[in-house]
Amino acid sequence: MKRVSLSQARRFILRRQGLLGEYRYHGTEGVVAFTRDAGCVQYDPVDVCGRSPELTYLSRVGDYRPAMLEEALYKTRDLVDCYDKNLCILPVEDWPCFGRTRTWFSEAEHRSRADVDRAAPQIRAFLRSHGPAFSDDLPDLGKVDWFWSSTSLSRAVLETLYFRGELCVHHRDGARRAFDFTENCLPEAIRTALDPHPDEDDHRVFLLERRIGAAGLLWNKRSDAHLGIPDFTTEHRNAAYARLESQGRVLPIEIEGLKPVFYIRAQDEELLDQCAAAAFEPRTELIAPLDSFLWDRKQIEALFGFAYRWEIYTPAAKRQYGYYTLPVLQGEALVGRVECLRDRAGDALRVNNYWKEPGTKLDRRAFRRAVKRLAELNGMKRIEMNLQK
């Protein structure tokens, strides 16, 4: 078993993630390339200072602009909105790999299913007649109970048909999604391709290998990085890791000072070796809360000594930091977290608070460059900075 130092492991994760050294990804092609390297980029509609996928791409793609993601998703369609770990952005060629997920949504009982199935023919007819549509373009069919709260029946039908694969996201307007028939969005060869992992065990192994690649390395423990892998019990998890190792698709490694065994993809061994003593150009990046780098927060705490909790769902009185804080990566260390807010009325990005990690010193010049990129992402002309904490 290969044994590596803690600094080598950190360097490897960051380099594998595209967060250390020169920017390896550029332009729309870079957006697509990073997504393929990661397997998927998690999506979330919350938009405080940019949505999570936009922040994820901003920290990897040197010249990133939102139009690049829009082009890759809705013009060239090299990427597709899909369900993987949760709602995610995937390379379009991976669409066939999630046929069983779409089948599950088709067969599973869910809230208001009878109402949805009854209204579905009317919504299909509307789309065939009018083309791509937002939920508020559709006829008012009343309200139904839905996953988070009540919503319009028309929206529930759209989302159900989307999860079943009958519809695709045609384009977005902010967080609003316009849906169209998948046959109008994806090539026939993609839509009709058979699932290359039809066996349930094969499918779990496929997903686990992707997650290890996305995170850089993983330990065989219960982990948020495993979310979305069907029926991933301890027994199935152990079997999946063992199978990947026996087939030589992953390699176990020991990290100096830590007890658990970690796993990397076999194809990443050369990069791991390069990170033993290599000096990569440091960068300062603001990390999205749902970034694949942070998928296993306990692992990040073990490796980087940085405890991160996304406090968006924590009552205000119980928050230790803020509603939407971004970890600050400086070189090979997580040195703090920052709270940023887009102020449209004032045409400014407000940096409300910064909390430093003990024993760290912020490179303010590099930090300001990172904040400037974030302001540009949000279309803000001014930056209001408060770094008192």
Side-chain angles (χ1 to χ4, degrees):
M1 186 181 301
K2 188 183 291 282
R3 183 175 175 84
V4 302
S5 67
L6 183 59
S7 61
Q8 182 180 352
R10 289 174 178 169
R11 204 174 293 134
F12 164 75
I13 293 174
L14 294 171
R15 188 65 178 165
R16 175 70 187 83
Q17 288 272 351
L19 291 169
L20 180 66
E22 73 287 351
Y23 287 106
R24 303 203 314 268
Y25 305 101
H26 301 277
T28 302
E29 296 81 2
V31 169
V32 175
F34 171 71
T35 309
R36 286 181 173 142
D37 284 347
C40 70
V41 173
Q42 193 166 342
Y43 179 84
D44 189 88
V46 175
D47 187 2
V48 175
C49 56
R51 295 182 182 85
S52 188
E54 295 170 339
L55 300 176
T56 297
Y57 290 116
L58 181 68
S59 61
R60 272 74 168 199
V61 181
D63 53 352
Y64 179 72
R65 295 292 182 272
M68 297 174 183
L69 180 58
E70 292 291 313
E71 180 179 358
L73 275 169
Y74 308 127
K75 294 180 181 178
T76 65
R77 298 201 181 272
D78 291 312
L79 304 179
V80 63
D81 298 277
C82 197
Y83 198 94
D84 182 353
K85 180 175 180 286
N86 282 302
L87 289 175
C88 290
I89 297 167
L90 306 180
V92 71
E93 61 266 22
D94 286 351
W95 172 269
C97 301
F98 295 89
R100 69 177 53 248
T101 305
R102 295 187 286 275
T103 298
W104 182 88
F105 277 116
S106 297
E107 298 175 348
E109 289 296 326
H110 54 69
R111 291 180 179 90
S112 305
R113 171 159 187 163
D115 292 324
V116 166
D117 287 346
R118 190 162 43 247
Q122 185 174 349
I123 300 304
R124 291 189 186 101
F126 183 94
L127 292 175
R128 290 192 184 99
S129 174
H130 294 80
F134 296 99
S135 60
D136 52 12
D137 294 330
L138 300 174
D140 183 1
L141 303 179
K143 296 281 188 179
V144 292
D145 183 29
W146 202 230
F147 287 98
W148 297 105
S149 61
S150 66
T151 191
S152 71
L153 176 54
S154 295
R155 177 189 172 193
V157 172
L158 286 177
E159 292 190 351
T160 298
L161 297 182
Y162 162 66
F163 285 129
R164 293 177 183 176
E166 187 174 341
L167 301 182
C168 262
V169 178
H170 181 271
H171 65 278
R172 290 181 184 266
D173 179 9
R176 297 170 67 234
R177 293 170 295 176
F179 293 93
D180 194 7
F181 291 104
T182 301
E183 64 194 46
N184 296 330
C185 299
L186 302 184
E188 182 179 5
I190 293 288
R191 289 186 288 107
T192 60
L194 296 177
D195 184 347
H197 312 285
D199 178 81
E200 290 186 3
D201 290 334
D202 289 345
H203 186 63
R204 282 190 285 264
V205 167
F206 157 72
L207 290 176
L208 175 59
E209 188 173 12
R210 277 164 53 96
R211 303 295 171 78
I212 293 171
L217 57 76
L218 278 178
W219 52 19
N220 181 4
K221 292 186 177 185
R222 290 184 62 183
S223 170
D224 282 351
H226 299 146
L227 289 176
I229 303 180
D231 195 23
F232 212 50
T233 62
T234 299
E235 179 184 358
H236 286 156
R237 189 183 76 235
N238 289 338
Y241 273 98
R243 183 171 162 187
L244 284 171
E245 183 177 358
S246 68
Q247 293 177 348
R249 292 158 63 181
V250 300
L251 299 177
I253 64 170
E254 291 182 350
I255 298 177
E256 187 177 14
L258 299 177
K259 291 183 179 180
V261 175
F262 295 80
Y263 295 85
I264 67 168
R265 297 185 309 168
Q267 66 200 69
D268 291 332
E269 183 178 14
E270 182 178 353
L271 176 61
L272 178 67
D273 292 340
Q274 291 173 358
C275 292
F280 296 103
E281 180 183 353
R283 302 200 322 250
T284 295
E285 302 288 356
L286 309 181
I287 306 299
L290 299 178
D291 195 298
S292 56
F293 175 60
L294 299 174
W295 277 355
D296 191 320
R297 293 170 189 162
K298 291 182 179 179
Q299 179 175 277
I300 289 297
E301 184 174 2
L303 293 170
F304 288 85
F306 183 84
Y308 178 69
R309 182 182 180 188
W310 195 29
E311 296 182 294
I312 191 170
Y313 300 117
T314 304
K318 296 184 178 181
R319 289 179 192 141
Q320 183 178 2
Y321 300 105
Y323 170 78
Y324 198 89
T325 60
L326 308 179
V328 179
L329 176 68
Q330 184 174 284
E332 299 175 20
L334 290 160
V335 297
R337 65 204 79 206
V338 63
E339 183 180 56
C340 299
L341 175 67
R342 180 181 57 243
D343 178 3
R344 293 193 187 280
D347 194 19
L349 180 74
R350 292 188 355 227
V351 182
N352 289 337
N353 293 297
Y354 174 79
W355 295 267
K356 70 185 292 292
E357 287 292 285
T360 65
K361 183 178 181 180
L362 182 67
D363 181 338
R364 294 203 172 205
R365 180 175 296 180
F367 177 76
R368 286 179 181 274
R369 286 198 298 268
V371 171
K372 183 175 184 291
R373 293 186 72 223
L374 182 61
E376 291 171 350
L377 174 77
N378 284 275
M380 300 292 101
K381 295 181 179 179
R382 297 188 302 111
I383 298 172
E384 295 181 0
M385 192 81 73
N386 177 11
L387 297 183
Q388 294 179 2
K389 293 191 176 183

